[in-house]
């Protein structure tokens, strides 16, 4: 029975190997190393010179057997295909480097090499791999052991076999183990040459000795995208890679291996497999820019960093494959030195390496730079660096002339004085060329300012910042310095120039001291009384000019100023209550002018604080009232006084004349209002009540109030028409009838008058009618007739109307004001009229403003004669026939100029 079972298993193995041999094609020859990675084990930590590590095989698919090898680690070398120690070295765990060789076509092929130090060279092939702290346990299964069969016990990797991964054995119970076993990661180099499918590992189950086991894999790269990248022989458990991998696309593949017993379901718990793609140097460094642009100042010192170039490599970071080194391949031009610039091989910073940068000679440098991986020995990329040499401020600006002279009038601010010009050898319009001017001496008071012109940065404009004073200083000497907008690159002298400014004298206006003068005077200050002497001084001390005075603004016409002395007097009575007074202050402008050919006038402000006097009697605001003749309510009358509080309330009131009999008047509690009421019952009608109101200083004035008494009672005033009792309707009808008769009579008279007017033929133009006569008035002022007019005609209207009188108040016995007589000087006519107008306003005997004034004086005729003395010119060709079309009023002119009846009579 046992023999039969062995025979069956043997037959199965033979059939499987035969099928595998049939399905596998003979791989084609691929030039290069037989393995993607060479691993050499050493038992000693310290390696001496000449130690042989193992054979390095290489083939280029030709009969050639001798190849040249190069190691990037100078501690090792390959001689006659044998890897040897070139320099003494120590191996700490392992040492990695790369061996290079070239095929028959000249292409370089490299292979990574690892030298591993084993502390126990005689240990078993099956060794444990300890799971590190923090590494996850897959699928939460209990700890398990993995046996790894590898060729690491050999001295070189040319004969290494793929690792064999065993499913972990099932433990009995939850027995604690001292160590946990983990499944090691599988490593596959990217871009492997094959042949494909490439065997990567083998999966084994401990049950395959007694059971028929089938193997499979699931997950990314197997049953998921990318599908079919990894495949597994379901009988042998061999894991195959079907095509080259690319680490830059995916660095790790994680999937699961399954073992299923034939006809009995799952035989093992799924095992997690991680395939790590080993990086190969398949990406060259790439610069961030194809062309880098930079600038370097011509005065830059050695070691000055100009620009930093950067390249990147897609290979695995922190690996020689991505370890980049920079170098400069060429420089154009190579003058004045071949190595004007150097680059830091690690950082890529380009720095100045030599003196001699000169923008005028070599304005631009072009560098070709290279970035190579494998620490400068691997793949490389190139780029250009264009450096523009910029100007440095190594030339100081200089004035075109050492000194300047200019003149300017005094008292002018922000006035142009002079323009300064400079030259500079640096690049035009650059900060090292643009000039900046400063006044360094000669202007302690800050009278001048200097600015760079906007249109030309090589011109400085000096202007006045404050008003110059010829009397204080007739000449100013300035020291002006010039620099650039940026500091000098090398120590240079600052250029200066001297500017002499001559101040020109001009006629200045006299100056009042103080500019604003304030005095306090009583408002009743007598005419021609002195107010104040307000004088000014002439700042032009060298001219010896005379100062004179005049009134510039005196809105009320109260003041007069002495032309020679500046003494201000009262010209007309002042009034604190005038509309020209604000806050008890009257403001006037006084002018002071000199006797220069072009006089200059200065102004001063005179403020007169008017002290109040009791010159205004209190008055009643309400001049008409209405009240009932029975049980009437007291009427409140407001009392006002133009004077200040000192001459106003409390007021007192007294009834005058017959008003005592029928009326009562008293002050209210505040003594600012009058309570007026009937003392007896009066018939309805209009009554005049005379009240005398007195202020607290005893100044009184009578005021009249027109009271309308209505036929009603109580506080509600209702006025009705006065009719006889019991005959209301007949009386009204009689009145209406009389009105109708009167209207009819008027209509008849109008009709009769119109008919008679139509019968009477009246000539259109009376011989004695002078309405259309032309009067010639040639008085335009200043003539001989203007000196003889009689101003007394201004009062002739009142003389012609003696019945006109003031009836709003009872006439009092206050003296009439004095009217100013007519002046002999015609220039004073204006002041004469203003003064007498103010006197008339304060005259209690004068009629009110709304009284009828009659002015019928038209002068005494004209000395010009008749218009008949005018001769019409007959030389023209004027056509006056149109005058006949203007109507009868122009008939006379039509006859005179148009050749009418007058011409026929001649």
């Amino acid at each position: 029975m046992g023999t039969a079972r062995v025979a069956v298993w043997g037959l199965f193995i033979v059939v499987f190997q035969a099928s595998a041999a049939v399905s596998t094609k003979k791989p084609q020859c691929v030039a290069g190393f037989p393995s993607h990675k060479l691993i050499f084990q050493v038992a000693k930590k310290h390696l001496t010179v000449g130690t042989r590590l193992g054979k390095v095989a290489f083939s280029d698919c030709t009969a050639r057997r001798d190849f040249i090898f190069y190691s990037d680690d100078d501690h090792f070398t390959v001689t006659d295909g044998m890897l040897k120690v070139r320099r003494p070295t120590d191996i700490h765990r392992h040492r990695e480097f790369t061996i290079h060789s070239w095929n028959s076509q000249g292409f370089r092929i490299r292979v990574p090499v690892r030298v591993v130090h084993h502390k126990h060279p005689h240990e078993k092939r099956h060794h444990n791999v300890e799971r590190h702290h923090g590494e996850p346990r897959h699928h939460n299964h209990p700890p398990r052991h993995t046996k790894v069969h590898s060729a690491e016990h050999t001295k070189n990797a040319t004969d290494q076999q793929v690792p064999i991964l065993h499913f972990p054995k099932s433990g009995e119970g939850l027995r604690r183990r001292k160590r946990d076993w983990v499944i090691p990661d599988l490593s596959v180099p990217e871009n492997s040459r094959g042949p494909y499918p490439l065997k990567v590992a083998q999966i084994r189950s401990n049950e395959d000795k007694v059971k028929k086991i089938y193997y499979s894999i699931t997950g990314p790269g197997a049953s998921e995208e990318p599908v079919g990248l990894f495949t597994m022989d379901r009988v042998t458990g061999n894991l195959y890679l079907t095509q080259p991998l690319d680490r830059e696309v995916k660095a790790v593949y994680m999937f699961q291996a399954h073992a299923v017993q034939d006809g009995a379901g799952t035989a093992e718990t799924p095992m997690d497999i991680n395939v790590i793609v080993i990086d190969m140097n398949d990406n060259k460094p790439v610069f961030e820019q194809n062309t880098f642009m930079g600038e370097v100042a011509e005065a830059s010192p050695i070691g000055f960093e100009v620009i930093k170039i950067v390249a990147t490599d897609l290979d695995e970071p922190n690996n020689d494959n991505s370890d980049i080194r920079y170098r400069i391949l060429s420089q154009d031009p190579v003058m004045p030195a071949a190595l004007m610039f150097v680059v830091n091989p690690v950082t890529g910073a380009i720095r100045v390496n030599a003196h001699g940068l000169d923008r005028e000679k070599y304005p631009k440098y072009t560098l070709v730079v290279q970035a190579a991986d494998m620490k400068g020995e691997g793949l490389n990329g190139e780029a250009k660096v264009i450096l523009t040499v910029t100007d440095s401020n190594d030339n100081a600006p200089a004035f075109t002339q050492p000194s300047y002279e200019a003149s300017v009038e005094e008292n002018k601010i922000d006035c142009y004085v002079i323009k300064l010009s400079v030259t500079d050898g640096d690049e035009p319009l650059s900060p090292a060329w643009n000039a900046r001017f400063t006044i360094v001496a000669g202007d302690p008071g800050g009278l001048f300012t200097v600015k760079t012109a906007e249109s030309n940065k090589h011109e400085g404009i000096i202007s006045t910042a404050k008003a110059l004073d010829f009397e204080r200083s007739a000449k100013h000497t300035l020291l002006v310095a010039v620099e650039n907008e940026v500091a000098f690159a090398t120590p240079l002298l600052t250029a200066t120039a001297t500017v002499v400014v001559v101040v020109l004298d001009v006629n200045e206006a006299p100056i009042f001291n103080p500019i604003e003068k304030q005095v306090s005077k009583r408002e009743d200050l007598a005419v021609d009384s002195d107010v104040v002497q307000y004088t000014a001084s002439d700042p032009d001390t060298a001219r010896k000019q005379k100062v004179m005075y005049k009134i510039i603004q005196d809105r009320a016409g109260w003041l007069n100023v002495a032309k020679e002395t500046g003494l201000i007097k009262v010209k007309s009575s002042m009034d604190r209550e005038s509309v020209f007074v604000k806050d008890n202050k009257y403001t006037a402008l006084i002018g002071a002018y000199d006797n220069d050919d072009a006089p200059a006038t200065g102004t001063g402000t005179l403020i007169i604080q008017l002290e109040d006097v009791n010159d205004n009697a209190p008055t009643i605001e309400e001049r008409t009232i209405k009240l009932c003749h029975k049980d009437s309510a007291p009427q409140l009358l407001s009392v006002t006084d133009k004077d200040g509080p000192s001459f106003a309330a409390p007021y007192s009131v007294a009834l005058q004349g017959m008003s005592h009999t029928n009326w009562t008047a008293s002050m209210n509690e505040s003594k600012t209002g009058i309570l007026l009421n009937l003392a007896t019952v009066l018939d309805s009608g209009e009554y005049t009540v005379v009240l005398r109101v007195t202020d607290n200083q005893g100044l009184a004035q009578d005021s009249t109030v027109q009271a309308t008494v209505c036929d009603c009672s109580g506080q509600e005033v209702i006025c009705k028409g006065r009719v006889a009792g019991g005959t209301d309707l007949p009386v009204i009808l009689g009145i209406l009838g009389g009105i109708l008769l009167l209207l009819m009579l008027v209509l008849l008279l109008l009709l009769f008058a119109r008919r008679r007017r139509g019968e009477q033929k009246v000539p259109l133009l009376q011989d004695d009618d002078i309405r259309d006569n032309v009067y010639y008035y040639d008085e335009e002022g200043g003539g001989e007739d203007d000196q003889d007019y009689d101003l007394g005609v201004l009062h002739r209207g009142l003389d012609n109307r003696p019945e006109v009188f003031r009836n709003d108040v009872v006439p009092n016995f206050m003296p009439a004001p004095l009217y100013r007589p007519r002046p002999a000087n015609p220039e004073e006519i204006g002041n004469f009229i203003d003064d007498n107008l103010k006197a008339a306003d304060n005259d209690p005997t004068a009629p009110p403003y709304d009284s009828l004034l009659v002015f019928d004086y038209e002068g005494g005729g004209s000395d010009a004669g008749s218009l008949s003395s005018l001769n019409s010119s007959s030389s023209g060709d004027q056509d006056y026939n149109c005058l006949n079309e203007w109507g009868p009023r122009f008939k006379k002119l039509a006859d005179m100029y148009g050749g009418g009846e007058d011409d026929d009579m001649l």
Side-chain angles (χ1 to χ4, degrees):
M1 191 65 164
T3 303
R5 183 177 297 176
V6 173
V8 172
W9 277 107
L11 180 61
F12 177 79
I13 293 174
V14 171
V15 173
F16 176 78
Q17 290 179 349
S19 62
V22 172
S23 62
T24 303
K25 295 181 180 179
K26 183 178 180 180
Q28 298 179 355
C29 178
V30 179
F33 296 94
S35 177
H36 295 288
K37 190 172 185 179
L38 304 181
I39 301 176
F40 299 89
Q41 294 183 357
V42 294
K44 297 180 179 180
K45 181 178 181 180
H46 179 73
L47 301 179
T48 59
V49 178
T51 302
R52 297 161 61 97
L53 301 180
K55 190 71 174 177
V56 178
F58 184 81
S59 174
D60 63 353
C61 299
T62 64
R64 179 184 173 191
R65 293 293 179 264
D66 296 330
F67 301 97
I68 299 175
F69 298 94
Y70 166 76
S71 173
D72 59 3
D73 189 340
D74 59 358
H75 291 83
F76 302 91
T77 183
V78 179
T79 305
D80 297 331
M82 181 62 68
L83 179 61
K84 299 180 181 180
V85 178
R86 181 181 179 186
R87 296 170 55 187
T89 183
D90 293 328
I91 304 299
H92 300 282
R93 296 184 60 184
H94 64 273
R95 184 80 164 266
E96 292 184 352
F97 54 94
T98 303
I99 296 177
H100 306 260
S101 186
W102 290 262
N103 60 13
S104 59
Q105 298 178 355
F107 293 102
R108 182 169 58 179
I109 302 175
R110 61 180 63 87
V111 64
V113 178
R114 172 180 291 186
V115 180
V116 182
H117 170 239
H118 282 273
K119 296 182 180 180
H120 307 287
H122 303 292
E123 63 185 357
K124 297 179 180 180
R125 289 186 177 181
H126 305 281
H127 60 280
N128 299 334
V129 180
E130 182 178 356
R131 182 174 64 85
H132 299 283
H133 175 70
E135 187 174 348
R137 302 186 180 189
H138 302 284
H139 300 283
N140 295 326
H141 293 302
R144 47 201 173 180
H145 296 80
T146 301
K147 294 181 180 180
V148 181
H149 296 269
S150 66
E152 293 182 354
H153 64 283
T154 62
K155 293 186 177 181
N156 59 59
T158 58
D159 300 328
Q160 68 178 6
Q161 300 178 358
V162 296
I164 300 176
L165 305 181
H166 287 269
F167 283 93
K169 294 182 178 180
S170 300
E172 297 178 0
L174 298 177
R175 182 176 56 187
R176 181 186 178 99
R177 292 177 174 83
K178 295 182 179 180
R179 289 182 179 270
D180 293 334
W181 290 75
V182 296
I183 302 172
D185 296 335
L186 301 178
S187 297
V188 178
E190 66 173 337
N191 303 324
S192 176
R193 298 183 183 89
Y196 292 98
L198 179 66
K199 185 178 180 181
V200 177
Q202 185 180 13
I203 309 300
R204 296 293 301 275
S205 173
N206 293 326
E207 302 294 330
D208 61 357
K209 298 178 180 179
V210 295
K211 300 177 182 178
K212 181 61 176 179
I213 302 297
Y214 296 102
Y215 302 95
S216 63
I217 55 175
T218 59
S223 60
E224 301 176 10
E225 290 294 333
V227 178
L229 184 61
F230 292 92
T231 60
M232 177 168 285
D233 190 307
R234 65 189 301 271
V235 177
T236 63
N238 291 334
L239 179 63
Y240 294 97
L241 176 64
T242 61
Q243 63 186 33
L245 301 178
D246 189 351
R247 191 202 64 85
E248 286 71 38
V249 175
K250 191 175 182 64
V252 179
Y253 292 88
M254 295 181 291
F255 46 85
Q256 288 185 329
H258 305 271
V260 179
Q261 181 179 352
D262 186 17
T266 302
E268 301 283 357
T269 302
M271 178 172 57
D272 293 329
I273 298 176
N274 295 337
V275 178
I276 299 176
V277 183
I278 300 175
D279 182 50
M280 302 298 291
N281 191 17
D282 57 342
N283 292 281
K284 68 178 182 179
V286 178
F287 282 97
E288 292 184 350
Q289 304 176 33
N290 293 329
T291 302
F292 292 85
M293 306 296 294
E295 293 182 349
V296 56
E298 60 181 342
S300 299
I302 294 177
F304 175 77
E305 182 176 326
V306 180
I307 194 173
K308 190 173 185 179
I309 56 176
V310 178
T312 57
D313 195 314
L314 296 179
D315 289 324
E316 184 179 2
N318 302 320
N319 190 300
D320 287 347
N321 296 334
S322 60
D323 193 352
I324 299 175
R325 296 293 185 267
Y326 300 93
R327 71 182 65 173
I328 296 177
L329 299 180
S330 64
Q331 169 189 308
D332 181 32
V334 295
M335 303 296 290
L339 296 177
M340 291 297 298
F341 304 95
V342 293
V343 61
N344 187 306
V346 178
T347 63
I350 297 178
R351 300 178 183 271
V352 178
N353 189 50
H355 294 291
L357 291 173
D358 191 338
R359 181 188 61 84
E360 290 73 22
K361 294 182 179 179
Y362 313 108
K364 185 179 295 185
Y365 286 88
T366 301
L367 308 179
V368 178
V369 294
Q370 182 190 77
D373 56 19
M374 301 297 293
K375 297 181 179 180
E377 299 296 331
L379 303 178
N380 60 75
E382 295 182 359
K384 284 185 178 181
V385 179
I386 299 177
L387 300 179
T388 301
V389 181
T390 60
D391 185 41
S392 294
N393 195 8
D394 54 354
N395 294 282
F399 287 96
T400 57
Q401 59 189 78
S403 61
Y404 299 83
E405 186 171 347
S407 60
V408 63
E409 293 182 351
E410 63 175 335
N411 300 325
K412 290 189 175 181
I413 301 176
D414 197 19
C415 178
Y416 169 83
V417 178
I418 196 173
K419 182 185 296 181
L420 311 178
S421 299
V422 297
T423 59
D424 196 312
D426 292 316
E427 182 180 2
L429 303 180
S430 67
W433 183 85
N434 295 339
R436 184 174 59 189
F437 300 87
T438 55
I439 299 176
V440 295
D443 187 24
L447 301 176
F448 300 90
T449 180
V450 59
K451 297 180 180 178
T452 303
E454 294 293 336
S455 58
N456 189 346
K457 297 297 184 178
H458 267 195
E459 292 180 349
I461 299 176
I462 297 180
S463 306
T464 57
K466 300 178 182 179
L468 305 181
D469 191 353
F470 172 82
E471 287 72 25
R472 180 173 297 179
S473 178
K475 184 170 65 174
H476 299 269
T477 302
L478 309 177
L479 184 63
V480 182
V482 61
E483 296 177 338
N484 295 119
E485 292 181 354
V486 295
F488 294 143
T490 58
L492 299 173
L493 295 177
T494 301
T496 58
T498 303
V499 180
V500 177
V501 181
V502 178
V503 183
L504 303 179
D505 187 24
V506 296
N507 185 27
E508 299 176 83
I511 301 175
F512 281 92
N513 186 21
I515 297 297
E516 183 177 285
K517 192 176 185 67
Q518 185 169 344
V519 295
S520 180
K521 297 293 178 180
R522 288 171 56 91
E523 64 172 325
D524 61 348
L525 189 65
V527 177
D528 290 334
S529 298
D530 295 344
V531 178
V532 68
Q533 187 171 15
Y534 196 15
T535 60
S537 60
D538 193 347
D540 295 321
T541 57
R543 291 176 177 252
K544 306 299 181 182
Q545 298 177 139
K546 182 180 179 181
V547 179
M548 294 168 287
Y549 303 91
K550 62 181 178 180
I551 298 292
I552 294 181
Q553 185 185 79
D554 179 18
R555 292 180 296 174
W558 293 341
L559 304 176
N560 203 350
V561 61
K563 181 178 179 179
E564 304 292 336
T565 63
L567 178 62
I568 300 174
K569 293 186 176 183
V570 178
K571 183 176 69 173
S572 60
S573 299
M574 298 182 292
D575 186 5
R576 187 192 68 89
E577 292 75 32
S578 171
V579 294
F580 302 109
V581 178
K582 303 296 181 183
D583 298 329
N584 300 331
K585 295 179 181 179
Y586 179 72
T587 303
L589 295 181
I590 312 300
Y593 59 98
D594 53 33
N595 59 349
D596 191 78
D597 294 338
T601 302
T603 59
T605 302
L606 176 63
I607 300 176
I608 303 176
Q609 182 77 31
L610 293 176
E611 300 174 1
D612 189 26
V613 297
N614 195 14
D615 58 345
N616 292 280
T619 59
I620 298 175
E621 293 292 325
E622 296 82 0
R623 308 309 293 267
T624 61
I625 61 174
K626 289 184 179 181
L627 71 168
C628 295
H629 73 297
K630 293 181 181 180
D631 299 329
S632 61
Q635 303 295 312
L636 179 61
L637 307 178
S638 302
V639 180
T640 59
D641 195 326
K642 293 182 179 180
D643 292 324
S646 301
F647 305 105
Y651 303 106
S652 60
V653 64
L655 294 167
Q656 301 296 311
M658 297 301 295
S659 301
H660 282 288
T661 305
N662 300 324
W663 301 88
T664 61
S666 62
M667 301 302 300
N668 61 359
E669 295 181 358
S670 62
K671 304 297 183 181
T672 58
I674 299 173
L675 298 176
L676 180 64
N677 203 357
L678 286 171
T680 183
V681 177
L682 296 178
D683 294 336
S684 59
E686 301 288 339
Y687 296 88
T688 300
V689 183
V690 181
L691 300 171
R692 176 170 295 175
V693 185
T694 307
D695 60 22
N696 58 10
Q697 298 295 323
L699 182 62
Q701 178 175 276
D702 291 346
S703 300
T704 59
V705 176
Q706 293 298 121
T708 301
V709 178
C710 301
D711 186 10
C712 60
S713 63
Q715 296 183 0
E716 184 178 359
V717 180
I718 301 176
C719 293
K720 302 178 181 179
R722 298 182 59 188
V723 294
T727 60
D728 292 342
L729 183 59
V731 171
I732 293 174
L733 293 177
I735 293 174
L736 292 177
I739 294 174
L740 291 175
L741 291 176
L742 181 60
L743 290 176
M744 291 177 65
L745 180 60
V746 171
L747 290 175
L748 291 175
L749 291 175
L750 291 175
L751 291 174
F752 179 75
R754 184 174 183 181
R755 179 173 297 180
R756 292 197 59 184
R757 184 179 302 173
E759 295 175 357
Q760 183 180 2
K761 295 183 179 181
V762 181
L764 294 176
L765 186 64
Q766 301 293 332
D767 294 336
D768 57 348
D769 191 356
I770 61 173
R771 288 179 298 173
D772 291 331
N773 291 349
V774 179
Y775 284 88
Y776 178 74
Y777 295 93
D778 59 350
E779 296 88 3
E780 295 183 358
E784 63 277 2
D785 288 345
D786 288 345
Q787 312 301 323
D788 297 330
Y789 53 76
D790 182 11
L791 295 178
V793 300
L794 296 177
H795 293 280
R796 189 169 298 177
L798 296 179
D799 298 338
N800 294 339
R801 300 292 301 275
E803 72 277 6
V804 178
F805 63 93
R806 186 172 181 175
N807 58 3
D808 60 336
V809 297
V810 175
N812 53 25
F813 298 97
M814 295 179 62
L818 296 177
Y819 288 90
R820 181 178 176 182
R822 189 181 70 179
N825 186 2
E827 295 182 357
E828 295 294 328
I829 290 299
N831 295 333
F832 161 72
I833 295 176
D834 291 340
D835 294 344
N836 284 353
L837 178 61
K838 293 182 177 63
D841 291 342
N842 297 323
D843 188 355
T845 63
Y849 294 111
D850 57 354
S851 296
L852 176 63
L853 301 179
V854 181
F855 298 92
D856 55 1
Y857 176 70
E858 296 184 358
S862 174
D863 296 337
S866 174
L867 287 175
S868 61
S869 61
L870 299 176
N871 295 324
S872 300
S873 174
S874 61
S875 62
D877 54 354
Q878 299 285 344
D879 184 9
Y880 298 101
N881 294 328
C882 62
L883 295 176
N884 295 320
E885 301 175 1
W886 290 7
R889 290 183 179 273
F890 294 89
K891 185 175 183 302
K892 182 70 70 176
L893 290 175
D895 295 337
M896 293 173 59
Y897 290 90
E901 298 175 359
D902 293 345
D903 293 341
D904 298 337
M905 295 173 63
L906 295 177

